[in-house]
Amino acid sequence: MASSVKQLCTICNDDGICKSAVTWCTECEVFFCADCEKPHSKSHLSKSHKTMSADDYQKLPTFMQEISSQCRDHKKKFELYCSFHSCPCCVQCVTDKHKMCQEMKPLSDILQQVKSSASMQLFETDLKDVKENIDTAINYLQTRITTTNIQNTKAIEKIRYMRKSIDDYLNKLEQDLLNDLESKHLKLRFNMATLVEQMEQQASQINKMQSQFSETTQYTTELQKFIALREIEKITSQTTKYIEDLESGDHFIEQNLEVNLSSVLQSFLQDVNSFGIININTTTSTLKINAERKDQAQHMIPKVPGVEEIKPSLLTRLTIPKDIKSVNITACLILPDGKFIILDSNKNQLLLFSNNGIFIRKVVTFTERPYDDCLVMNNTVAVALGPRNRTVLVDVDRSEIIQSIKLTHNCFGVASDGKNLVISDSSSWCTTVNLNDMSHTILEGIRGVFCISLFQGNIYGTNNSANKLCCYKVTGELLWTFQPQDIARPLGLTLDKNGFVYIASVRNNSILVVSPDGKVCKTILSDADGIKHPYAIDINRETGLMIVSSHISGEKNEQSYQTCFVYKV
């Protein structure tokens, strides 16, 4: 909840006058005192602006008060929305931070979704469902506490009834059993009471958000609603997962107190060395959680598919002319305009193909053998030139090398985010090159990777000698490694917009996809799909097109040759 400190009129405060504010304009994002509010409400430009009282503004959640329609970095109005980074942008942001982002949309189009009454109703329903579920779980646990208390009482009565019929010899054994019962009962009650206390805290948070929901929807701007709803969605999703985790674990499994008395107590008192046994038997939980809400989550954010849902469909393949069928494809790219690039290390050349896979022209020929390439921006491509310790930038439209970058190590793999290049050497470290000033930074923590790729601040690389995939921070620290059994000499790799890693596994003729956390792997293309010795792979994250190099059989008496298949993923 916001602070109770009185807000000052923004206009008067700028003039060095301290006057308490009575109104907040949600569009001007300014506080007005009574005197300043009058001209604002009568002005032709601002009389239609939505306002709310300063007191009501103070009741808004803190995170909503901090939401502004202006970029904090550039002091300009948000006009665009980057779907890739899930954030609003001003025009300056596009130049500074989002040059390579292909998923920029008018913010007004995104905010139109917030205006939809259906969206608002869905989020309100989400809050209601989560609250009902958490209340149901709390009531269930409270009932279970009562039940175990009753069970405890009945067990004590049963024990004491037997106690009346036996000799004092059993006093110690009786007390031992009672102590055991009390210990296990307290443990059960304590565990459930602790869980109730934790869930009541969750319920308190949901209660608070429910009480603030009407103010959120009534007085705030569409942008504030949009970002607020995202925050609400995040909290409800977290609470939902919290309840589901409890349900899927052993927290709601019924543990019942039960006493089993010795059958020989009545006739063979001299042989009894135990008064009984206290058991906690487990049965299936009778708690029923409303599951309909699971399908309603992520109303405004597209659902990310799982590995098992990724199924490429073949669209076309590149038509390789007879005079260049000797190509040895070490890399392939999909340009922003949909054309295709392949890197031929046989004749050291970069070749351009049309959107439908027809050869257009040779772009440029290199004096060294090229090993890898990547898109830098627009139609500018970086090419790694192997043992010559050199990487070049090629303007595809002008068919010329426009920049040469000399390094201190081999250049086998190259990747770019539009601002930096990362260049790998399979036997030593990697180097980051700042494309603005061409300064170099050595990443000694990244060693042994051949092909690399960049995604959201992380560096991914294949170690073809160890048959594993590695993920690093952009500063070189290792985050995780993955070594699936289905991989054999991994080389080319790329990532889709959801962070799934696609790997060309050369020796077992397959394309694998690895989950963003590096824990789950699936073969999505294999020899049965015509994939043979795949070396290179690339994905256009905006269109979902994927290009993969492969050997295919030649016609009639021709030898096999290399080409590329194009898929939709």
Side-chain angles (χ1 to χ4, degrees):
M1 184 65 69
S3 170
S4 60
V5 176
K6 285 288 186 180
Q7 294 288 352
L8 298 178
C9 173
T10 307
I11 307 300
C12 294
N13 192 51
D14 290 342
D15 293 334
I17 302 172
C18 294
K19 294 183 69 174
S20 295
V22 296
T23 303
W24 165 259
C25 178
T26 60
E27 298 187 40
C28 297
E29 297 182 1
V30 169
F31 283 105
F32 294 106
C33 63
D35 294 334
C36 294
E37 196 274 338
K38 291 179 181 178
H40 173 265
S41 63
K42 294 180 179 179
S43 170
H44 177 72
L45 296 177
S46 59
K47 65 180 181 180
S48 61
H49 286 190
K50 293 181 180 179
T51 61
M52 62 188 299
S53 71
D55 291 338
D56 287 340
Y57 177 85
Q58 291 287 80
K59 297 176 183 177
L60 293 176
T62 302
F63 76 89
M64 287 201 62
Q65 293 187 22
E66 294 174 352
I67 297 171
S68 172
S69 62
Q70 284 194 343
C71 173
R72 296 183 184 276
D73 295 333
H74 305 111
K75 309 303 179 185
K76 294 183 178 180
K77 189 175 181 65
F78 288 130
E79 296 180 9
L80 299 169
Y81 183 79
C82 177
S83 300
F84 183 79
H85 292 98
S86 299
C87 67
C89 311
C90 70
V91 291
Q92 189 64 40
C93 289
V94 177
T95 303
D96 290 354
K97 301 178 181 179
H98 302 269
K99 288 182 180 178
M100 294 299 295
C101 296
Q102 304 292 326
E103 301 179 32
M104 304 297 294
K105 299 178 181 178
L107 184 58
S108 57
D109 292 349
I110 301 297
L111 297 184
Q112 195 64 35
Q113 301 176 38
V114 182
K115 296 179 180 179
S116 166
S117 58
S119 296
M120 300 294 290
Q121 290 171 2
L122 285 172
F123 279 111
E124 189 172 14
T125 300
D126 279 350
L127 281 173
K128 179 182 177 182
D129 288 347
V130 171
K131 180 62 168 58
E132 288 179 354
N133 282 342
I134 201 168
D135 286 344
T136 300
I138 291 173
N139 291 335
Y140 171 81
L141 289 174
Q142 290 173 337
T143 301
R144 291 300 309 148
I145 291 174
T146 301
T147 300
T148 56
N149 286 338
I150 295 172
Q151 292 169 343
N152 180 62
T153 301
K154 290 182 177 180
I156 293 174
E157 291 175 352
K158 188 176 182 180
I159 294 168
R160 288 179 176 171
Y161 176 81
M162 176 63 72
R163 177 69 181 82
K164 293 177 183 180
S165 64
I166 62 176
D167 194 61
D168 290 342
Y169 166 78
L170 299 177
N171 285 346
K172 180 180 181 301
L173 297 179
E174 177 196 27
Q175 191 59 49
D176 289 343
L177 186 60
L178 288 171
N179 290 341
D180 186 20
L181 170 66
E182 184 65 16
S183 173
K184 291 178 179 177
H185 169 241
L186 288 175
K187 181 178 179 181
L188 280 179
R189 188 172 63 184
F190 175 78
N191 289 342
M192 289 187 287
T194 300
L195 185 57
V196 168
E197 182 179 352
Q198 294 172 353
M199 296 185 72
E200 285 176 340
Q201 294 175 358
Q202 294 280 343
S204 176
Q205 183 181 19
I206 296 299
N207 280 332
K208 183 182 297 185
M209 191 157 291
Q210 274 190 307
S211 66
Q212 296 168 344
F213 191 84
S214 61
E215 286 86 355
T216 299
T217 57
Q218 185 175 359
Y219 297 110
T220 56
T221 65
E222 280 73 20
L223 174 60
Q224 291 175 321
K225 287 188 182 73
F226 172 69
I227 299 181
L229 292 178
R230 287 177 59 84
E231 183 66 20
I232 290 172
E233 179 183 17
K234 175 182 176 183
I235 293 173
T236 55
S237 296
Q238 289 174 346
T239 306
T240 296
K241 187 177 185 304
Y242 171 73
I243 297 173
E244 292 174 345
D245 289 345
L246 291 178
E247 183 184 14
S248 63
D250 59 357
H251 296 83
F252 295 144
I253 294 176
E254 294 187 6
Q255 296 178 311
N256 300 306
L257 286 169
E258 184 180 277
V259 60
N260 295 323
L261 299 177
S262 173
S263 62
V264 298
L265 276 176
Q266 297 178 358
S267 56
F268 300 103
L269 297 180
Q270 69 275 16
D271 295 331
V272 175
N273 57 16
S274 172
F275 204 84
I277 298 173
I278 301 297
N279 291 325
I280 298 176
N281 60 70
T282 299
T283 59
T284 304
S285 170
T286 58
L287 175 65
K288 300 297 182 183
I289 294 292
N290 177 19
E292 293 181 1
R293 175 183 30 76
K294 295 177 182 179
D295 294 330
Q296 297 174 4
Q298 307 297 324
H299 298 310
M300 299 177 68
I301 301 176
K303 179 183 176 183
V304 176
V307 168
E308 66 282 352
E309 298 178 56
I310 298 176
K311 298 176 181 179
S313 57
L314 181 64
L315 298 180
T316 187
R317 80 179 188 196
L318 303 191
T319 302
I320 308 297
K322 290 185 178 181
D323 58 338
I324 59 172
K325 280 191 174 179
S326 60
V327 293
N328 182 30
I329 301 173
T330 57
C332 54
L333 284 177
I334 304 175
L335 297 176
D337 59 7
K339 294 184 177 69
F340 305 105
I341 285 282
I342 65 171
L343 194 61
D344 171 27
S345 66
N346 184 40
K347 294 185 178 180
N348 301 338
Q349 56 189 352
L350 199 65
L351 305 175
L352 179 66
F353 290 76
S354 68
N355 302 55
N356 55 6
I358 304 302
F359 177 67
I360 298 176
R361 60 183 169 85
K362 177 182 70 176
V363 178
V364 69
T365 299
F366 307 101
T367 57
E368 304 98 330
R369 181 186 177 188
Y371 281 80
D372 194 15
D373 63 15
C374 71
L375 181 68
V376 177
M377 64 179 66
N378 300 326
N379 277 8
T380 299
V381 174
V383 180
L385 298 177
R388 294 302 181 94
N389 302 357
R390 194 164 72 102
T391 295
V392 296
L393 302 183
V394 177
D395 187 316
V396 175
D397 294 332
R398 291 157 50 188
S399 296
E400 65 179 0
I401 297 174
I402 57 175
Q403 182 82 42
S404 180
I405 304 168
K406 188 70 175 178
L407 299 182
T408 59
H409 60 75
N410 296 334
C411 301
F412 289 133
V414 61
S416 176
D417 59 4
K419 295 182 179 180
N420 300 284
L421 288 180
V422 179
I423 305 164
S424 65
D425 178 354
S426 60
S427 61
S428 65
W429 52 76
C430 292
T431 296
T432 298
V433 178
N434 186 307
L435 291 173
N436 288 326
D437 57 16
M438 291 299 164
S439 59
H440 296 188
T441 302
I442 293 178
L443 306 176
E444 295 189 359
I446 304 179
R447 292 175 177 264
V449 298
F450 192 87
C451 294
I452 57 175
S453 187
L454 285 172
F455 183 74
Q456 292 187 351
N458 291 336
I459 300 173
Y460 298 78
T462 51
N463 186 320
N464 60 343
S465 60
N467 290 332
K468 65 183 180 181
L469 169 69
C470 303
C471 177
Y472 304 86
K473 292 182 180 179
V474 74
T475 49
E477 293 89 346
L478 180 66
L479 292 175
W480 52 260
T481 61
F482 186 52
Q483 195 168 12
Q485 296 179 347
D486 298 335
I487 202 168
R489 197 183 175 218
L491 286 173
L493 78 160
T494 185
L495 289 93
D496 66 16
K497 66 179 182 179
N498 296 317
F500 288 93
V501 189
Y502 297 70
I503 305 172
S505 181
V506 177
R507 286 184 181 161
N508 61 355
N509 303 321
S510 62
I511 301 297
L512 293 82
V513 60
V514 179
S515 61
D517 57 4
K519 294 181 179 180
V520 181
C521 178
K522 173 190 174 185
T523 298
I524 57 172
L525 292 172
S526 65
D527 199 352
D529 301 296
I531 298 296
K532 296 184 184 298
H533 308 299
Y535 191 105
I537 186 171
D538 184 46
I539 285 179
N540 184 313
R541 292 170 190 160
E542 181 180 7
T543 62
L545 291 183
M546 177 175 72
I547 184 171
V548 178
S549 69
S550 174
H551 283 74
I552 63 172
S553 300
E555 299 177 1
K556 297 180 180 179
N557 296 326
E558 287 184 334
Q559 294 182 341
S560 66
Y561 63 95
Q562 283 186 292
T563 184
C564 289
F565 295 111
V566 180
Y567 300 86
K568 179 71 175 179
V569 293

